[in-house]
């Protein structure tokens, strides 16, 4: 079966809405993919602020934003279809939405971006709410990308996504485990913002700084890092705890960025060591694929690569399209699996009581 799908992803780094038009093909149980077109629609300052502050809104205003962001998303998809001449070619839209509340301990997660609004604006079938069923089954609802790694990218043994939050997944002989490692781009971007920059290009500012060992020890000592996996992070851990610690430290911008870059690298090494067997064997796949915006930060990647080499892990940086749009690609796959009524979130990853079929389906076209 061949599916032409638009996958949508909005990450915690708030850089914009990722839209990927992908072709997915299933033949005798094996999946292949091709990213045909992909763009990032940057958020205006107004939209970035609305999404960042959504959890502070009263209930009615939050619901109004949920609807408005759904319409905004639908309009962005229509513009993407117009630009790439994709009319009458798209079978399905799969939208992750933008995570606002994430409280798996209370069996609740919420992503902004009403799927019904997207379907109404585009006139296309839409799958949304991609984490809710896993949460209801007692899972973390995150990470959900490993199903795509298992079906589309199984030549690698480990996967690192350096988005607003860094997460790691590992193929342990066919059994996938994954968890959020630490805040990543979201904190780095907040640290560089006073310089009038959206991000620290190539990690150039961080590279000019020095690691503050005292602050590094405090960061590494945070309770989350001692918890066993499966586990996941909400955005406020990076915003309200980690960034606040760095703000109050009195470090220069360069030293704060350098220190936090080292923190990310050390936590990635610690996470990889935790999921890999201690003994090296011929059958252990220790190739790690790194994607997400942080994979374009050469200083960060160099520090991670150097530390991973100490535990015999080989870091691989793919082409730019996969770096930037891997998550949107996987959202497309999750939507197709929902359409086929097949499992699309793995309980071995999230800790749920069972594998589950996630996603609400909204039919926007006429019968």
């Amino acid at each position: 079966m061949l599916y032409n799908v638009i996958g949508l992803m909005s990450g915690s780094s708030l850089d914009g809405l990722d839209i990927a038009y992908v072709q997915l093909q299933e033949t005798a149980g094996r999946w292949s993919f091709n990213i045909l077109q992909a763009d990032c629609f940057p958020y205006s300052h107004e939209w970035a602020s609305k999404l960042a502050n959504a959890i502070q809104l009263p209930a009615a205003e939050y619901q109004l934003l949920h609807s408005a962001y759904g319409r905004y998303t639908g309009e962005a998809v229509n513009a993407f279809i117009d630009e790439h001449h994709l009319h009458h070619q798209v079978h399905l839209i799969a939208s992750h939405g933008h995570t606002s509340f994430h409280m798996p301990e209370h069996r609740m997660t919420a992503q902004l971006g009403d799927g019904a609004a997207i379907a109404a604006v585009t006139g296309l079938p839409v799958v949304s709410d991609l984490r809710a069923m896993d949460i209801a089954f007692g899972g973390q609802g995150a990470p959900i990308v490993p199903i795509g790694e298992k079906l589309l990218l199984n030549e690698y043994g480990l996967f690192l996504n350096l988005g607003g939050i860094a997460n790691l997944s590992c193929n342990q002989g066919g059994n996938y485990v994954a968890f959020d490692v630490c805040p990543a781009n979201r904190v780095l971007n907040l640290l560089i913002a006073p310089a009038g920059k959206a991000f620290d290009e190539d990690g150039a500012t961080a590279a000019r700084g020095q690691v503050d060992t005292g602050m590094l020890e405090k960061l590494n000592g945070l309770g989350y890092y001692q918890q066993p996996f499966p586990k996941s992070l909400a955005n406020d851990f990076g915003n309200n705890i980690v960034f606040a610690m760095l703000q109050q430290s009195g470090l220069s911008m360069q030293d704060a960025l350098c220190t936090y870059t080292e923190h990310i690298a050390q936590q990635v090494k610690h996470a990889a060591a935790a999921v890999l067997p201690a003994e090296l064997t011929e059958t252990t796949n220790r190739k790690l694929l790194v994607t997400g915006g942080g994979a374009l930060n050469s200083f960060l990647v160099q520090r991670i690569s150097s530390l991973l080499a100490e535990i015999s892990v080989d870091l691989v940086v793919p082409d730019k399209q996969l770096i930037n749009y891997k998550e949107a690609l996987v959202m497309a796959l999750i939507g197709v699996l929902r359409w086929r009524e097949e499992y699309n979130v793995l309980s071995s990853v999230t800790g749920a009581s069972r594998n589950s079929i996630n996603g609400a389906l909204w039919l926007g076209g006429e019968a």
Side-chain angles (χ1 to χ4, degrees), residues 31-47:
W31 287 88
S32 60
F33 73 92
N34 189 12
I35 302 175
L36 300 175
Q37 301 287 348
D39 285 325
C40 178
F41 282 52
Y43 290 130
S44 65
H45 176 75
E46 180 184 7
W47 267 113

Side-chain angles (χ1 to χ4, degrees), residues 41-346:
F41 282 52
Y43 290 130
S44 65
H45 176 75
E46 180 184 7
W47 267 113
S49 177
K50 285 179 178 180
L51 296 174
N53 297 306
I55 61 173
Q56 310 298 332
L57 294 175
E61 291 182 31
Y62 179 89
Q63 286 300 117
L64 288 170
L65 179 62
H66 179 56
S67 177
Y69 182 62
R71 293 193 302 275
Y72 168 89
T73 301
E75 289 162 0
V77 169
N78 283 344
F80 178 86
I81 289 172
D82 287 342
E83 181 179 350
H84 297 290
H85 309 291
L86 300 177
H87 299 281
H88 311 297
Q89 297 180 53
V90 180
H91 300 146
L92 181 71
I93 297 169
S95 176
H96 175 273
H98 187 87
T99 297
S100 51
F101 297 98
H102 184 67
M103 302 177 182
E105 68 277 14
H106 299 299
R107 302 205 176 191
M108 189 276 280
T109 188
Q111 282 73 46
L112 289 163
D114 182 14
I118 301 171
V121 170
T122 62
L124 291 166
V126 172
V127 176
S128 63
D129 299 323
L130 305 181
R131 302 177 186 268
M133 197 73 247
D134 181 81
I135 288 279
F137 279 124
Q140 290 287 311
I144 58 174
V145 169
I147 187 68
E149 295 163 349
K150 178 179 181 179
L151 297 180
L152 301 176
L153 297 162
N154 60 14
E155 64 266 38
Y156 300 95
L158 299 105
F159 302 87
L160 174 65
N161 179 65
L162 291 172
I165 294 170
N167 49 66
L168 182 85
S169 55
C170 177
N171 178 3
Q172 296 181 328
N175 183 50
Y176 276 73
V177 296
F179 53 94
D180 288 342
V181 176
C182 62
N185 295 346
R186 180 67 177 144
V187 171
L188 295 174
N189 294 351
L190 287 169
L191 289 171
I192 196 72
K197 299 179 181 179
F199 59 94
D200 183 15
E201 186 171 0
D202 293 326
T205 305
R208 294 197 300 269
Q210 299 290 323
V211 173
D212 184 283
T213 55
M215 176 53 60
L216 183 62
E217 288 178 5
K218 289 180 182 178
L219 290 167
N220 287 337
L222 289 169
Y224 177 79
Y225 303 126
Q226 322 311 319
Q227 295 175 19
F229 57 86
K231 57 183 179 178
S232 61
L233 283 169
N235 291 333
D236 57 5
F237 179 78
N239 296 353
N240 301 338
I241 297 175
V242 173
F243 177 61
M245 289 172 64
L246 289 161
Q247 261 193 321
Q248 294 161 14
S249 68
L251 295 176
S252 68
M253 180 182 293
Q254 291 92 334
D255 289 353
L257 282 163
C258 187
T259 300
Y260 198 70
T261 297
E262 188 66 17
H263 171 69
I264 296 170
Q266 290 190 9
Q267 288 304 321
V268 168
K269 176 190 174 182
H270 176 75
V275 298
L276 285 170
E279 298 296 323
L280 287 172
T281 68
E282 292 182 1
T283 59
T284 303
N285 187 337
R286 299 175 88 93
K287 287 173 59 181
L288 179 147
L289 183 74
V290 58
T291 56
L296 302 173
N297 181 329
S298 55
F299 181 63
L300 174 60
V301 169
Q302 183 273 325
R303 288 304 304 141
I304 294 172
S305 181
S306 178
L307 293 181
L308 289 179
E310 297 174 2
I311 56 172
S312 301
V313 172
D314 183 21
L315 185 148
V316 178
V317 180
D319 64 81
K320 226 172 183 182
Q321 195 175 55
L322 190 57
I323 286 174
N324 289 327
Y325 298 106
K326 176 191 163 197
E327 288 194 310
L329 163 68
V330 175
M331 297 311 132
L333 175 67
I334 288 173
V336 168
L337 293 173
R338 166 62 182 87
W339 184 265
R340 289 162 59 105
E341 298 185 357
E342 296 177 8
Y343 292 137
N344 58 8
V345 176
L346 304 171

